[in-house]
């Protein structure tokens, strides 16, 4: 066995989406007959016809029609009226039940094939600062400041968070301390938001006749309560709190309630491991022998970007078959 002189490790991203092995993440090319993009703030999804786009684009006349993931994101942003600056806070991803959220590289290309299935993706907000009121300073010597995310972006982020909570994409929310009251709090804010957005709903009674608070609770909340709590105690307590909160937030609009909803979720981000990005990567390990020969081995690994990690916020890595993530930077 050759004697080793020094060792160097580096990370390299895999490219493409392996449709047959979604747990392996990005591999090879992606083919699809169309791309359907879920837009959380819109009632309908965006369908991208790759064949039509390709025939009108730079590949017109070629046999291979395609579209880049970044172009899909631009189209989704325009559909949601999100500007070119804030668009960079968003990205395209797929969601696999057994793996979770898988992000597509902006430069990744989806090739058209009439026989291929439709590629289902999501347009998601990817970068979130802990405080929505944080001031971003533009270093141009003029002292100009952007005090806030635009209303369109905050609205989109709210609907994304609401969707994740009510569909079980944040499963650990039921395991946090005082989960009962916090889950009811999310439903309460959502009910008030609906009341503020619908001028026909003048009273709490009208609101509760048209909408069920049970539909706005995080997925699995009711099943975690016993029968008496679920049928009697919880509804009574909720309606009492709803009347009280309606008076407290009497002068606040639906946008303000969206912000409160998001901020409450941010408070528990560390506990529920929400707003994390996971990427499949390959860990390249190079070793140089005393004779000058370079030996390189590749290992499958996962990259975790977790800005809200309780002890080690940042980028963490985990080699396949290992159980613990190690802080990378």
């Amino acid at each position: 066995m050759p004697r080793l002189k020094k060792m160097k490790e580096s990370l390299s991203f895999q490219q493409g989406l392996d449709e047959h092995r979604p747990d392996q993440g990005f591999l090879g090319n992606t083919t699809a007959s169309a791309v359907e993009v879920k837009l959380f703030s819109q009632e309908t999804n965006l369908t991208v016809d790759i064949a039509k786009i390709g025939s009108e684009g730079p590949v017109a006349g070629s046999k291979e029609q395609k579209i880049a993931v970044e172009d899909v994101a631009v189209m989704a942003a325009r559909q949601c009226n999100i500007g070119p600056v804030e668009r960079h806070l968003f990205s395209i991803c797929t969601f696999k039940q057994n793996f979770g959220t898988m992000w597509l590289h902006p430069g990744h290309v989806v090739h058209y094939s009439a026989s291929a299935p439709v590629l289902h993706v999501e347009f998601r907000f990817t970068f979130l600062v802990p405080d929505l009121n944080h001031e971003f300073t533009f270093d141009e010597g003029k002292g100009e400041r952007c005090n806030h995310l635009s209303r369109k972006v905050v609205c989109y982020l709210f609907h994304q968070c609401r969707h994740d909570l009510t569909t079980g994409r944040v499963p650990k929310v039921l395991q946090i301390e005082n989960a009962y009251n916090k889950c009811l709090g999310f439903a309460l804010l959502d009910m008030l938001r609906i009341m503020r957005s619908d001028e026909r709903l003048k009273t709490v009674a009208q609101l509760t006749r048209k909408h069920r608070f049970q539909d706005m609770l995080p997925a699995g909340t009711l099943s975690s309560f016993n029968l008496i709590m679920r049928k009697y105690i919880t509804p009574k307590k909720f309606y009492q709190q709803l009347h009280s909160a309606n008076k407290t937030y009497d002068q606040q609009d639906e946008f303000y309630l969206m912000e409160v909803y998001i901020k409450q979720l941010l408070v528990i981000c560390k506990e529920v491991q929400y707003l994390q990005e996971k990427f499949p990567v390959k860990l390249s390990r190079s070793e140089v022998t005393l004779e000058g020969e370079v030996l390189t081995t590749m290992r499958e690994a996962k990259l975790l970007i977790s800005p809200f990690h309780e002890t080690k916020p940042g980028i963490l890595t985990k080699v396949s078959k290992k159980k613990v993530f190690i802080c990378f930077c």
Side-chain angles (χ1 to χ4, degrees), residues 17-25 27 29-31 96 117:
L17 179 66
D18 188 340
E19 298 170 357
H20 303 290
R21 300 186 64 192
D23 59 310
Q24 296 299 311
L27 298 167
N29 295 322
T30 303
T31 58
K96 302 296 181 182

Side-chain angles (χ1 to χ4, degrees), residues 4 7 77 81 98-99 102 114 160 172 187-188 215 236 246 277 279 294 301 305 327:
L4 301 180
M7 178 185 70
N81 295 317
N98 297 328
F99 187 84
M102 183 66 64
Q160 177 180 307
K172 292 190 176 182
L188 187 147
D215 297 333
K236 182 179 179 180
N246 185 43
E277 299 180 28
F279 298 89
V294 179
I305 300 177
C327 184

Side-chain angles (χ1 to χ4, degrees), residues 99 273 276-281 301-306 309 311-312 314-329:
F99 187 84
Q273 297 180 11
Q276 295 184 149
E277 299 180 28
K278 189 187 297 182
F279 298 89
V281 296
K302 291 178 182 176
L303 186 72
L304 180 68
I305 300 177
S306 181
H309 195 280
T311 57
K312 297 178 180 178
I315 300 176
L316 301 93
T317 59
K318 180 172 75 70
V319 179
S320 297
K321 298 182 181 180
K322 297 287 185 180
K323 295 182 178 181
V324 181
F325 277 92
I326 301 173
C327 184
F328 186 74
C329 65

Side-chain angles (χ1 to χ4, degrees), residues 257-306:
L257 294 168
M258 289 181 186
E259 283 194 312
V260 176
Y261 189 102
I262 296 170
K263 289 177 180 178
Q264 284 196 4
L265 184 57
L266 289 185
V267 171
I268 63 172
C269 268
K270 294 178 182 179
E271 299 178 75
V272 300
Q273 297 180 11
Y274 184 56
L275 295 174
Q276 295 184 149
E277 299 180 28
K278 189 187 297 182
F279 298 89
V281 296
K282 285 186 176 179
L283 184 62
S284 172
R285 179 170 179 167
S286 300
E287 300 171 317
V288 182
T289 66
L290 292 175
E291 292 76 18
E293 182 183 359
V294 179
L295 304 177
T296 302
T297 57
M298 301 292 289
R299 294 181 294 172
E300 300 289 336
K302 291 178 182 176
L303 186 72
L304 180 68
I305 300 177
S306 181

Side-chain angles (χ1 to χ4, degrees), residues 63-251:
K63 296 181 180 180
E64 186 180 37
Q65 296 171 324
K66 55 190 177 181
I67 187 170
V69 168
E70 185 175 12
D71 293 331
V72 175
V74 170
M75 296 174 68
R78 288 174 179 169
Q79 185 81 6
C80 300
N81 295 317
I82 294 172
V85 175
E86 290 178 312
R87 175 178 63 79
H88 295 287
L89 299 174
F90 294 79
S91 191
I92 299 293
C93 71
T94 62
F95 179 78
K96 302 296 181 182
Q97 195 64 42
N98 297 328
F99 187 84
T101 303
M102 183 66 64
W103 300 94
L104 296 174
H105 189 281
H108 178 64
V109 175
V110 181
H111 297 266
Y112 173 73
S113 173
S115 60
V118 174
L119 177 63
H120 296 276
V121 299
E122 296 177 349
F123 181 61
R124 289 184 72 88
F125 192 100
T126 61
F127 179 76
L128 184 62
V129 294
D131 183 4
L132 292 180
N133 291 313
H134 177 74
E135 292 187 336
F136 297 92
T137 302
F138 297 99
D139 189 16
E140 297 178 353
K142 300 178 181 179
E144 296 179 357
R145 292 178 182 272
C146 176
N147 294 326
H148 222 290
L149 295 175
S150 70
R151 288 202 168 203
K152 290 290 184 182
V153 172
V154 173
C155 178
Y156 194 97
L157 177 57
F158 163 79
H159 285 286
Q160 177 180 307
C161 292
R162 182 186 186 277
H163 172 271
D164 291 348
L165 274 174
T166 57
T167 57
R169 298 274 282 268
V170 195
K172 292 190 176 182
V173 71
L174 302 179
Q175 303 171 17
I176 64 175
E177 184 180 353
N178 200 18
Y180 173 76
N181 288 324
K182 290 178 180 177
C183 288
L184 288 180
F186 286 118
L188 187 147
L189 288 168
D190 204 5
M191 289 283 280
L192 288 178
R193 175 194 65 85
I194 292 174
M195 186 176 179
R196 298 291 184 270
S197 63
D198 191 342
E199 295 180 353
R200 295 169 297 179
L201 301 175
K202 303 295 185 182
T203 65
V204 170
Q206 292 176 324
L207 174 66
T208 54
R209 279 198 297 267
K210 191 172 181 180
H211 299 277
R212 298 174 66 251
F213 80 91
Q214 291 90 340
D215 297 333
M216 301 168 198
L217 288 168
T221 302
L222 289 178
S223 61
S224 66
F225 301 156
N226 60 46
L227 182 61
I228 296 177
M229 287 280 289
R230 188 164 61 246
K231 294 291 185 180
Y232 302 102
I233 299 178
T234 298
K236 182 179 179 180
K237 179 178 180 180
F238 182 85
Y239 294 133
Q240 289 175 345
Q241 293 181 341
L242 186 59
H243 279 280
S244 176
N246 185 43
K247 295 178 181 178
T248 302
Y249 296 108
D250 183 52
Q251 302 300 317

Side-chain angles (χ1 to χ4, degrees), residues 19-45:
E19 298 170 357
H20 303 290
R21 300 186 64 192
D23 59 310
Q24 296 299 311
F26 301 101
L27 298 167
N29 295 322
T30 303
T31 58
S33 55
V35 180
E36 184 172 317
V37 188
K38 182 173 183 57
L39 306 175
F40 294 103
S41 64
Q42 306 289 314
E43 294 182 359
T44 58
N45 294 335

